[in-house]
Amino acid sequence: MLLESFQLGEGDVPTVLLHGFLGSGRNLRSLAVAWSQAEPQRRFLLPDLTGHGSSPTPPPGATLETVARDVLETARAKGFTGPLALVGHSLGGRVSLAASLVSPSEVSSVTLLDIAPGPVPVDLSESGMVLNVLLQAPETASSRREMKAGLMSHELSEGLADWLVMNLVSTPEGGVRWRFDRQALARLHQQVNGADLWAAVERPGAKVRCIRGSRSRYVSDADVARMEAANCPVETLPGAGHFVHVDAAEPLLRWLLRP
């Protein structure tokens, strides 16, 4: 399945940036722009993952591997040749690991932005909490303001509500509706969070690195110890939360630029 995507840069090093759950490729645009300016030898692809943004809805029975194959297929269709450097935030990181297992020869490296390879415990899943609120929201509303107010009535922050209503599109009647299939995403979310991807880190020849936010709980100290034992270096960004590319954009870029 081909995904909606856009590109930045004209270099020869194929690099794919993958967003988190309920996001879209444009969430990582600022990172791609800054990185492209620092390393013009790279060419970036930023897809909307399966079921997200303007990409197609996940098919029945979709798994993490389904999403990973869609990313690889899209990259090839867009002319990205050779092994791909995959960089993924949260869900995007898990998709990157899955892609390296699905087709190791097509992935040169995986960079994880605040996500670990193991199953995500229910009590750690911020995306699960947001998804529950999203599932309670109506399918349509008269305006973005009305939908936003409804989301905030469930104790979501204004910033998070603003981010979610970016996924609304206009209806012919003049109102707004969600552009993604919320039920399909809920099914995919459960499968994605339950996947064990340690094999992608611990297999011979794996080239994986990880960066985490000090205020985030997605990558535990036990995860760090296991990853580093598998020759996967882990860096911690002081003061950053789960959205490391937002909370610590400049330190993150400096880390990404390390050889």
Side-chain angles (χ1 to χ4, degrees):
M1 179 188 296
L2 294 183
L3 306 174
E4 183 70 24
S5 64
F6 64 93
Q7 300 180 34
L8 283 168
E10 300 177 354
D12 298 324
V13 181
T15 307
V16 183
L17 302 186
L18 302 176
H19 62 82
F21 192 68
L22 299 177
S24 67
R26 58 183 170 176
N27 293 154
L28 297 172
R29 182 182 180 88
S30 294
L31 173 60
V33 169
W35 197 350
S36 181
Q37 291 172 347
E39 288 190 336
Q41 66 268 34
R42 290 187 182 269
R43 179 185 175 197
F44 293 91
L45 180 71
L46 291 85
D48 293 351
L49 291 173
T50 312
H52 293 74
S54 299
S55 286
T57 298
T63 65
L64 191 56
E65 289 72 26
T66 305
V67 183
R69 291 183 189 279
D70 289 345
V71 168
L72 295 175
E73 181 182 351
T74 300
R76 298 313 177 205
K78 295 299 182 181
F80 282 64
T81 60
L84 306 168
L86 301 181
V87 181
H89 172 247
S90 200
L91 165 63
R94 297 178 71 74
V95 173
S96 299
L97 292 173
S100 73
L101 291 173
V102 165
S103 187
S105 64
E106 292 191 80
V107 179
S108 61
S109 65
V110 171
T111 298
L112 303 174
L113 306 184
D114 204 64
I115 197 65
V120 180
V122 174
D123 63 331
L124 287 189
S125 180
E126 297 175 17
S127 57
M129 178 273 291
V130 175
L131 179 60
N132 287 335
V133 172
L134 192 61
L135 289 171
Q136 296 176 59
E139 177 62 27
T140 62
S142 62
S143 66
R144 282 175 168 77
R145 179 178 296 180
E146 179 183 306
M147 190 72 83
K148 174 183 172 180
L151 294 172
M152 292 180 65
S153 72
H154 291 279
E155 299 185 357
L156 288 189
S157 69
E158 183 172 8
L160 189 51
D162 281 332
W163 180 63
L164 285 175
V165 298
M166 290 171 64
N167 291 294
L168 293 172
V169 294
S170 299
T171 66
E173 298 76 24
V176 293
R177 63 169 178 80
W178 297 108
R179 66 180 173 185
F180 45 45
D181 184 327
R182 293 173 293 165
Q183 295 297 335
L185 282 179
R187 292 190 293 271
L188 183 63
H189 182 265
Q190 183 176 14
Q191 198 282 333
V192 165
N193 276 7
D196 187 326
L197 298 160
W198 278 105
V201 177
E202 296 174 334
R203 67 180 176 85
K207 187 177 180 182
V208 184
R209 60 178 174 169
C210 176
I211 195 163
R212 65 175 181 169
S214 65
R215 294 190 293 106
S216 174
R217 298 188 297 157
Y218 274 89
V219 183
S220 69
D221 291 342
D223 291 327
V224 172
R226 183 171 174 180
M227 282 191 278
E228 291 185 335
N231 296 315
C232 169
V234 182
E235 183 90 2
T236 301
L237 287 175
H242 183 49
F243 291 86
V244 289
H245 53 291
V246 176
D247 296 339
E250 291 185 10
L252 171 61
L253 180 61
R254 289 196 296 270
W255 178 77
L256 289 168
L257 294 174
R258 291 182 193 171

